[in-house]
Amino acid sequence: MRVFTMRKEITEFVTENLSQKKIGFVPTMGALHEGHGSLIQKSASENDLTLVSIFVNPKQFGPTEDFSKYPRTFKDDVVLAEKCGASAVFAPTVNEMYPPGFSTHITVKHLTDPLCGQVRPGHFDGVATVVSLLLNLARSHKAYFGLKDYQQFLIIKQMAHDLGCFTEIIGVPTVREQDGLALSSRNRFLDEDARKLARAVPAALAAAAKIFKDGERQAQKLISAAAGVLATHELIPQYLELRNAQTLKEAGAEITEPAVLFIAQIISKTGTRLIDNIVLSEENTALLDELLEKVHHEK
Ligand code: AMP
């Protein structure tokens, strides 16, 4: 597996291969886990070559956020990427990505307004800017993004569509631990107690999923089911919202179209911020069942 650090290396690699080979691209911030692994594996199964980028993007962290503390595990990342089928890793420095004089910022409107856009001002501008730069460098046929970051996925799809991007944007389902907790690079900050408490997040989603499966369609009841679980653990979410799965507009009183229940929860003991979601739709029964099984199994 090749490791590149310079923009021009990835450009050369892609230029050499683009005409004969299908290229898949998986952008990450490193500290790779099996969630990233599933994106890399999916890309490797659908393409001849898979590029993985590892770049902790300062533009998407607010001034009080954890940019400097974000986990960096480069050696292990390279091993995992290779094991999952990556052909090359691109790990640039901040200066290589944003050399002096870098002046372009991408803003996607509307989809960035609610949820993480509310509580992390500027975050999605940083994401959109780095992803559009990475997509331009990688020029891949497909790029893979996790549905754990559901809002991010919709924003990137919108951006790629608006900008006439060559790359097809693919969403990949959330990989969860045995007890339902979504894998995240930040989970390593959870100590034993915080890790136990973190189970409440998938359990809250599962409570809503359960009544949805049983036929409940009243938005307030679905939200209350999840809120009840968090409240039992004395957790106050940063947000807990039910929104339309395409537009991210607030779901009406009764959901008649696919909706997504979103949670952002700070686990206060360690200050770790977790986000998770579940798509409530009649077509999503396999993922609802997986979540319910994992959460139920741990009770
Ligand atoms: P990050 O390194 O956190 O920026 O994530 C890189 C990519 O991996 C993003 O597209 C994430 O949505 C995706 N990802 C992170 N965690 C998971 C997970 N548990 N399951 C599936 N994809 C994930």
Side-chain angles (χ1 to χ4, degrees):
M1 193 183 65
R2 319 262 303 263
V3 177
F4 304 128
T5 56
M6 310 296 282
R7 288 181 181 211
K8 66 171 189 300
E9 293 174 302
I10 187 169
T11 304
E12 276 166 21
F13 178 77
V14 171
T15 306
E16 275 164 26
N17 288 293
L18 198 59
S19 63
Q20 311 93 17
K21 303 239 160 100
K22 286 264 175 265
I23 301 180
F25 177 45
V26 181
T28 80
M29 296 207 299
L32 300 186
H33 50 64
E34 283 171 39
H36 301 110
S38 85
L39 271 60
I40 300 169
Q41 280 163 345
K42 186 163 169 63
S43 172
S45 73
E46 294 181 356
N47 300 281
D48 302 312
L49 295 173
T50 290
L51 291 174
V52 175
S53 66
I54 297 177
F55 178 61
V56 186
N57 174 33
K59 288 191 189 294
Q60 70 189 70
F61 289 79
T64 60
E65 294 181 353
D66 58 353
F67 173 69
S68 58
K69 281 199 307 187
Y70 197 82
R72 287 159 171 92
T73 59
F74 185 68
K75 276 193 187 149
D76 292 346
D77 292 351
V78 170
V79 173
L80 190 140
E82 183 159 30
K83 196 182 88 193
C84 293
S87 328
V89 162
F90 176 51
T93 60
V94 172
N95 198 57
E96 180 66 14
M97 286 294 274
Y98 305 125
F102 186 97
S103 311
T104 300
H105 287 260
I106 309 275
T107 298
V108 179
K109 289 192 173 170
H110 313 305
L111 288 169
T112 52
D113 288 341
L115 304 166
C116 290
Q118 280 280 311
V119 292
R120 301 186 70 187
H123 168 68
F124 286 125
D125 287 2
V127 170
T129 302
V130 79
V131 171
S132 70
L133 170 52
L134 287 167
L135 290 178
N136 271 323
L137 292 170
R139 285 178 288 149
S140 61
H141 297 86
K142 295 181 178 176
Y144 297 81
F145 294 86
L147 295 174
K148 171 176 176 289
D149 299 290
Y150 191 94
Q151 185 178 18
Q152 169 176 282
F153 168 71
L154 286 188
I155 291 165
I156 288 165
K157 252 186 106 138
Q158 182 72 49
M159 178 187 80
H161 174 78
D162 290 349
L163 299 181
C165 186
F166 168 71
T167 307
E168 184 188 349
I169 306 298
I170 313 278
V172 182
T174 303
V175 177
R176 298 179 179 281
E177 300 270 13
Q178 228 37 82
D179 62 357
L181 181 67
L183 295 186
S184 161
S185 303
R186 289 188 173 96
N187 289 355
R188 67 190 70 210
F189 294 137
L190 299 167
D191 64 16
E192 205 182 325
D193 289 347
R195 175 65 186 78
K196 270 192 201 144
L197 198 54
R199 280 186 195 167
V201 172
L205 295 175
K210 167 86 177 64
I211 62 170
F212 177 83
K213 264 196 80 180
D214 294 344
E216 183 58 73
R217 295 294 180 272
Q218 297 296 317
Q220 210 42 59
K221 294 232 171 91
L222 293 161
I223 294 169
S224 296
V229 174
L230 295 178
T232 333
H233 295 87
E234 293 174 7
L235 290 173
I236 300 166
Q238 205 172 40
Y239 58 69
L240 167 59
E241 294 180 29
L242 187 64
R243 291 186 171 264
N244 181 285
Q246 293 301 319
T247 63
L248 294 188
K249 295 212 166 97
E250 255 180 89
E254 186 171 326
I255 57 171
T256 52
E257 289 176 346
V260 182
L261 187 64
F262 292 93
I263 296 181
Q265 178 67 57
I266 294 174
I267 305 292
S268 60
K269 199 160 166 275
T270 57
T272 310
R273 182 174 181 275
L274 304 176
I275 59 168
D276 201 350
N277 68 79
I278 186 77
V279 179
L280 299 177
S281 116
E282 265 130 59
E283 283 85 62
N284 193 35
T285 47
L287 287 176
L288 292 178
D289 288 342
E290 186 210 339
L291 175 67
L292 286 168
E293 202 175 295
K294 288 193 159 172
V295 167
H296 182 71
H297 187 255
E298 285 296 315
K299 271 195 178 156

